Amino acid sequence: MEKIFADPVNESRTRDLGGKDPSPPELLKKIKQLEVELVQKEEKLLETDLLYNHVSRLTDRIHATAEDGKQDTLLLAKRTIELQKKIKDRTQKMRALVAELSMKQALAIKLQQEMRDKEQFLMTVSSRIDQGLPPPKETEKEWLKILRNEKMQKEAAEARAKQAAEEEQAAAPSCVRTTAERRPTAYIPDNEYSLPLPRPYGALAPFKPSESSSNTRYFRKSTAKPIEI
């Protein structure tokens, strides 16, 4: 087949497609028409490019606005949380104040009732004194209670003063602080030729035996056997 189509003498190797070639004026007309269409396509492409740029700018602006909106939303959310926390704290404080006010009102009512009772009691005592009668037994008990409280307060004050003096004395540098039981360091002679004045024991102080420990309960006490003669 290659030889057939490559042979220039063979007339059947070519096939006429038919039709005719356009003339030069037709070609020029066709070229002008294509140029016009190309210009129209370029104009349309330019318009599309301008529209694309405009849409891109609008899109960028919308994105920037959205980002700003996110920041504003975040700040607004934080502010809302802070305000809610403050409202909660204020509510708790208000409830505490209301509870304290209720307690104060109850205490005021109680004190007013006590004041009325005291006034009534004072009027009763005054009327009995005016009539030459002794005061009620409740008054005597109250008076004894007051005296007892004053005595207890006086004893407590004396005990505190004594304790403060002992602590001050113990804080002195020459004082030796100890918890041991005090032992006598002197004795009074019973000799008729000497004066009854205390004398120090010196180095021959009497021996004080220690207390028996709790272990002695495990030992049996010895019993003395009778002596047989």
Side-chain angles (χ1 to χ4, degrees):
M1 186 177 290
E2 183 181 357
K3 291 180 180 181
I4 294 172
F5 285 104
D7 188 6
V9 182
N10 189 7
E11 296 180 357
S12 62
R13 69 186 184 89
T14 60
R15 182 168 58 88
D16 190 8
L17 296 177
K20 63 178 181 177
D21 294 332
S23 61
E26 291 178 352
L27 290 175
L28 291 174
K29 184 178 179 181
K30 187 67 174 178
I31 290 171
K32 289 181 180 179
Q33 184 179 358
L34 292 175
E35 288 178 353
V36 171
E37 291 179 358
L38 179 61
V39 171
Q40 291 177 355
K41 295 292 184 182
E42 289 179 353
E43 291 178 355
K44 190 174 181 180
L45 180 61
L46 183 60
E47 291 177 358
T48 305
D49 193 9
L50 292 175
L51 182 61
Y52 173 75
N53 293 331
H54 183 65
V55 172
S56 298
R57 287 195 297 271
L58 291 177
T59 306
D60 295 338
R61 190 181 302 173
I62 291 172
H63 280 299
T65 306
E67 292 295 331
D68 295 338
K70 288 181 180 179
Q71 295 294 330
D72 295 339
T73 304
L74 182 60
L75 294 176
L76 182 61
K78 290 182 178 179
R79 183 62 177 171
T80 305
I81 293 172
E82 292 177 357
L83 291 176
Q84 288 178 353
K85 185 177 180 181
K86 288 182 179 180
I87 291 171
K88 187 176 180 180
D89 295 340
R90 294 291 188 275
T91 304
Q92 291 180 354
K93 289 182 180 179
M94 189 180 298
R95 290 178 180 175
L97 290 175
V98 170
E100 186 176 358
L101 180 61
S102 300
M103 293 174 62
K104 296 294 184 181
Q105 288 178 351
L107 181 60
I109 293 172
K110 182 180 178 181
L111 292 176
Q112 289 177 359
Q113 184 64 32
E114 289 181 358
M115 185 178 66
R116 286 193 291 267
D117 295 340
K118 296 293 183 182
E119 289 177 353
Q120 184 67 28
F121 180 73
L122 181 61
M123 292 175 61
T124 304
V125 172
S126 299
S127 62
R128 289 179 66 88
I129 291 174
D130 293 339
Q131 294 175 6
L133 298 175
K137 292 184 178 181
E138 291 80 4
T139 307
E140 184 178 358
K141 291 180 180 179
E142 190 71 22
W143 177 251
L144 293 176
K145 184 178 179 181
I146 293 173
L147 293 177
R148 185 171 62 253
N149 291 337
E150 290 180 354
K151 183 179 179 181
M152 291 174 63
Q153 291 177 1
K154 184 178 180 181
E155 291 177 354
E158 292 177 355
R160 287 195 298 269
K162 184 178 179 181
Q163 184 179 1
E166 291 178 355
E167 290 178 355
E168 184 178 359
Q169 184 179 1
S174 61
C175 180
V176 179
R177 187 176 182 85
T178 179
T179 57
E181 185 180 356
R182 290 189 176 184
R183 299 176 60 182
T185 58
Y187 69 98
I188 297 176
D190 55 355
N191 190 359
E192 59 182 359
Y193 299 104
S194 60
L195 296 175
L197 297 176
R199 293 182 182 180
Y201 283 114
L204 302 176
F207 173 73
K208 182 180 180 181
S210 60
E211 297 180 358
S212 59
S213 63
S214 60
N215 295 330
T216 55
R217 66 175 181 269
Y218 298 108
F219 297 95
R220 185 186 301 173
K221 293 183 179 181
S222 60
T223 56
K225 295 182 179 181
I227 300 174
E228 297 179 358
I229 300 175

